[in-house]
Amino acid sequence: MSERTGQPGNLLESVKGPGDLKRLAVDELPVLASEIRDLLISSTARSGGHLGPNLGVVELTIAMHRVFDSPHDRILWDTGHQAYVHKMLTGRAGQFDTLRQEGGLSGYPSQTESEHDIIENSHASTALSYADGLAKAYRLRGENDRTVVAVIGDGALTGGMAWEALNNIAARKDLPLIIVVNDNGRSYSPTIGGLASHLASLRTNQRYEDVLDFVKGNLNKVPVVGAPVYDALHGVKKGLKDVLAPQVMFEDLGLKYIGLVDGHDEQAVEAALRRARDFRRPVIVHVLTKKGFGYSPAENHDEDCFHSPGVFDPLTGEEKPKPHGWTNVFGQEMVRLGAERRDIVAITAAMLGPTGLIPFSEAYPDRLYDVGIAEQHALTSAAGLALGGLHPVVAVYATFLNRAFDQLLMDVALHRLPVTVVLDRAGVTGDDGASHNGMWDLSILQVVPGLSVAVPRDEPRLRELLAEAVEIDDGPTVLRYPKGAVGAQIEAVGRLGEMDVLREGDLDVLLVAVGPMAELCLGAADLLDAQGISATVVDPRWVKPLDEALVPAARAHKLVVVVEDNGRVGAVGDAVARMLRDADVDVPVRTYGIPQRFLDHAKRPKILGEIGLTSQDIAREITEAIAKRSPALENHPAR
């Protein structure tokens, strides 16, 4: 490897777009690949990001942009975190020092960055459906010179939606659609040699198809023996090919198959893609790659080949120590609960490490189920486990619960099953951008009958509430917490019903702090006190159902304020307002949360500041609201 400076190498710097790439000589491509890997390593070492998957697709991405004419041809990435190299080759290599930084490059494809980025697609297993629709649209519009390419891999083929799309794509023989399966998770070797290459060429030759159709059409007209003879001949053909490549699954769907192709041999990939392109019908190109390829710390990283490291030393691969986080606390508590109760099992959707379940899997390997990128299956499988007498704990990112809402509603809640869903990275997550902010769950969960939702404010409450959740046996529970370090412990000074009172005040403001917003609300209460406004701060702990003690408490105050790390629409604030309306409490309610828009990527504190979720912002808003109702406050000495 050359010295990693964080800047594009000379050859990469000359590539301002796919046209420049096509003009490079074949012997320059390995140099280009090396420069790309250097920039990948140096950039992610500073900012964190998806290093391993992108190291594995360097040659594949070079080959695709040499064969296809982006953006006229459409290249879709699934998942989108494999698209760093694509960004470099489409004119953004010089910006890679801004990766995942405010105002800089996104960690996923972004339509606002480039015409070469078609879909964001960080929620996996969707690109084939996009590709199916795009290819059909171009066909109907008469744009027959365009090819749609969907690159699916790094686990995305485990999602059920991908197979729904494959089933539909296979039914249309007239679509110029290429599916590149980036296989970085299988151990079998690529098929190589002249015969394999010849058969791959033969299978994508239209004359070969015409002969098959002729034989099938004529043999089937022969009474008794026609169809069996055709089936036998077709079976022999398939049997010969199956010795050479694991293609049965795809060809049984009716899709043409090219593979296996060594994904780190750029010329082999290019040749396969050209054959697929010229076929002008749906084709699978099966490419075998190695995650982390070309960087030994990633290749030798047993857990996930540096799938998504934090900041690290580019020379040694040593990661900067991470602070004690919410995820760690959950992982520790799951091990403790697992020792106490043998009925507790854990489910994850391809997020074993990121959700903190590695310690549980090591302690109780027969009680951990990783279902792949299949959140829908995870929830319904959990329902089955619960029907069988167990208590499943399903750990997913908050943003990915969206995908399994119907299963939570109709398969779990309808049957009042004891399933606990733990949502990591809830609220504003920051660096990964709009698709990863977990800002939807407290809104969509409000409509689920019989569901209980807990939001811990600190480490002791996470442990406490998780233990309470798994004790509930007559319906589902959800526990949610944010990304990053756990804040300081905040002890209660009293109880109001089952809620924690964090600060006692007079009867000016009742400040309802949802989970991690407690520290912010206590800060706002201090600022309000300096303005002569007294605030009582409570933490509901369980935000669904709400504690009935809120009703008399709200009635006794001049203003009720709810602060939460979720979209404002339909979330806890709206639930509090509805509860008070139903009880004929006419005290005004102010709600503060995340505005209902897709937020650009930036650090969490920066985003919270921009959307007004700081102690200063909340205190100022409350002061103005109280002043409108108490004119005498305008003359307070502190104002």
Side-chain angles (χ1 to χ4, degrees):
M1 285 285 180
S2 62
E3 182 182 356
R4 299 184 178 105
T5 63
Q7 297 297 321
N10 292 334
L11 203 55
L12 179 55
E13 191 173 12
S14 72
V15 177
K16 305 301 182 183
D20 297 324
L21 181 64
K22 290 177 172 67
R23 286 188 282 272
L24 294 181
V26 170
D27 60 1
E28 293 179 296
L29 300 181
V31 178
L32 176 65
S34 179
E35 291 181 3
I36 289 172
R37 286 193 167 90
D38 285 346
L39 185 55
L40 284 172
I41 294 163
S42 63
S43 299
T44 54
R46 285 192 309 274
S47 64
H50 291 94
L51 177 59
N54 285 284
L55 289 170
V57 298
V58 174
E59 288 81 9
L60 169 60
T61 311
I62 291 172
M64 286 197 302
H65 277 295
R66 281 171 61 85
V67 171
F68 300 105
D69 183 21
S70 177
H72 183 75
D73 294 327
R74 307 299 253 177
I75 299 176
L76 313 178
W77 294 89
D78 195 349
T79 64
H81 64 230
Q82 301 175 98
Y84 290 9
V85 184
H86 161 81
K87 292 192 178 207
M88 292 181 186
L89 297 178
T90 52
R92 287 166 277 178
Q95 299 170 260
F96 253 75
D97 59 345
T98 70
L99 181 67
R100 303 174 79 241
Q101 306 299 307
E102 182 185 5
L105 292 179
S106 166
Y108 295 93
S110 171
Q111 291 180 349
T112 61
E113 283 181 17
S114 172
E115 62 180 347
H116 297 278
D117 291 2
I118 315 305
I119 51 173
E120 194 267 7
N121 209 47
S122 58
H123 284 205
S125 309
T126 63
L128 298 186
S129 296
Y130 278 115
D132 177 55
L134 265 174
K136 287 173 179 173
Y138 294 146
R139 180 73 174 176
L140 285 172
R141 288 163 57 93
E143 299 177 34
N144 297 319
D145 62 335
R146 306 184 77 168
T147 302
V148 178
V149 185
V151 187
I152 185 165
D154 207 31
L157 206 54
T158 61
M161 190 173 170
W163 293 94
E164 295 174 25
L166 280 171
N167 186 53
N168 280 270
I169 291 168
R172 290 294 300 265
K173 306 301 185 184
D174 58 345
L175 300 179
L177 194 163
I178 297 170
I179 301 166
V180 178
V181 177
N182 172 28
D183 186 349
N184 62 10
R186 296 294 296 272
S187 59
Y188 46 72
S189 300
T191 303
I192 56 175
L195 179 58
S197 179
H198 171 72
L199 284 177
S201 299
L202 177 64
R203 286 195 301 272
T204 53
N205 186 306
Q206 186 58 48
R207 290 181 62 192
Y208 170 85
E209 290 299 301
D210 292 341
V211 169
L212 274 183
D213 289 342
F214 175 83
V215 171
K216 182 176 182 179
N218 285 277
L219 278 179
N220 284 339
K221 295 176 184 177
V222 180
V224 184
V225 298
V229 169
Y230 172 77
D231 289 341
L233 290 174
H234 197 255
V236 169
K237 172 187 75 92
K238 289 184 64 177
L240 177 61
K241 290 185 294 182
D242 293 344
V243 172
L244 300 164
Q247 66 197 28
V248 176
M249 177 170 58
F250 295 117
E251 290 215 337
D252 281 350
L253 282 171
L255 292 164
K256 282 299 167 185
Y257 175 95
I258 297 175
L260 290 166
V261 182
D262 180 353
H264 302 299
D265 182 339
E266 193 278 337
Q267 289 297 287
V269 178
E270 224 180 284
L273 292 175
R274 291 186 191 281
R275 290 200 301 271
R277 179 198 62 190
D278 294 343
F279 190 49
R280 307 307 292 166
R281 287 170 63 178
V283 183
I284 294 272
V285 179
H286 192 168
V287 177
L288 194 67
T289 64
K290 185 174 183 180
K291 206 168 183 176
F293 185 79
Y295 182 48
S296 58
E299 289 189 28
N300 299 323
H301 188 250
D302 291 336
E303 184 178 318
D304 63 6
C305 297
F306 270 32
H307 174 81
S308 182
V311 176
F312 64 94
D313 183 330
L315 296 179
T316 66
E318 184 177 354
E319 287 192 66
K320 180 181 178 181
K322 295 179 181 177
H324 184 55
W326 295 91
T327 306
N328 305 104
V329 177
F330 165 68
Q332 294 167 2
E333 194 63 13
M334 278 294 290
V335 173
R336 188 190 70 78
L337 290 170
E340 290 183 357
R341 291 180 44 178
R342 291 190 56 80
D343 65 323
I344 288 180
V345 295
I347 301 176
T348 182
M351 289 286 184
L352 184 65
T355 59
L357 285 175
I358 287 178
F360 187 90
S361 71
E362 293 171 344
Y364 319 107
D366 59 336
R367 290 155 60 187
L368 185 283
Y369 305 98
D370 187 341
V371 300
I373 303 178
E375 291 85 2
Q376 293 172 302
H377 169 69
L379 264 295
T380 304
S381 178
L385 287 163
L387 283 169
L390 301 177
H391 191 111
V393 176
V394 183
V396 296
Y397 285 7
T399 183
F400 296 139
L401 179 65
N402 305 354
R403 315 187 71 167
F405 172 76
D406 184 67
Q407 287 69 30
L408 178 62
L409 178 68
M410 292 299 178
D411 300 336
V412 178
L414 177 65
H415 299 99
R416 302 180 299 281
L417 294 171
V419 173
T420 296
V421 181
V422 175
L423 303 180
D424 202 320
R425 277 112 167 129
V428 171
T429 58
D431 296 341
D432 282 325
S435 63
H436 274 56
N437 289 315
M439 57 179 284
W440 320 104
D441 55 284
L442 289 180
S443 300
I444 64 176
L445 294 176
Q446 288 293 332
V447 305
V448 180
L451 173 71
S452 300
V453 181
V455 189
R457 66 179 178 269
D458 57 16
E459 178 174 339
R461 258 46 65 177
L462 194 161
R463 297 181 186 276
E464 173 184 283
L465 289 168
L466 179 60
E468 291 179 22
V470 297
E471 287 296 325
I472 295 174
D473 60 5
D474 60 350
T477 53
V478 170
L479 183 78
R480 59 112 70 181
Y481 47 79
K483 177 182 179 180
V486 180
Q489 294 184 22
I490 302 172
E491 296 302 329
V493 299
R495 273 287 176 117
L496 181 62
E498 295 300 315
M499 299 182 293
D500 282 344
V501 178
L502 307 183
R503 179 189 175 112
E504 294 179 335
D506 294 331
L507 303 180
D508 290 332
V509 180
L510 177 63
L511 193 47
V512 181
V514 177
M517 297 289 101
E519 185 175 1
L520 179 157
C521 289
L522 288 171
D526 289 339
L527 295 172
L528 289 169
D529 193 55
Q531 300 290 326
I533 302 172
S534 178
T536 299
V537 182
V538 298
D539 171 9
R541 299 175 66 253
W542 290 91
V543 298
K544 184 182 186 302
L546 289 165
D547 197 309
E548 292 292 335
L550 265 176
V551 173
R555 185 176 280 119
H557 287 78
K558 298 175 183 176
L559 178 68
V560 175
V561 174
V562 183
V563 183
E564 58 190 308
D565 190 8
N566 190 84
R568 291 179 62 231
V569 176
V572 179
D574 282 358
V576 170
R578 183 173 61 254
M579 180 188 211
L580 298 183
R581 287 196 306 271
D582 290 348
D584 290 325
V585 176
D586 59 2
V587 174
V589 179
R590 290 292 186 95
T591 64
Y592 297 93
I594 304 171
Q596 300 297 151
R597 67 172 187 262
F598 295 110
L599 305 175
D600 291 334
H601 61 279
K603 296 297 182 185
R604 175 179 164 90
K606 177 70 172 179
I607 293 175
L608 292 177
E610 290 178 348
I611 64 177
L613 283 183
T614 69
S615 296
Q616 293 81 2
D617 290 316
I618 300 301
R620 183 178 62 254
E621 294 266 355
I622 292 173
T623 301
E624 292 173 357
I626 291 289
K628 291 177 182 178
R629 292 165 176 81
S630 304
L633 189 64
E634 293 289 349
N635 301 318
H636 191 279
R639 286 185 59 78

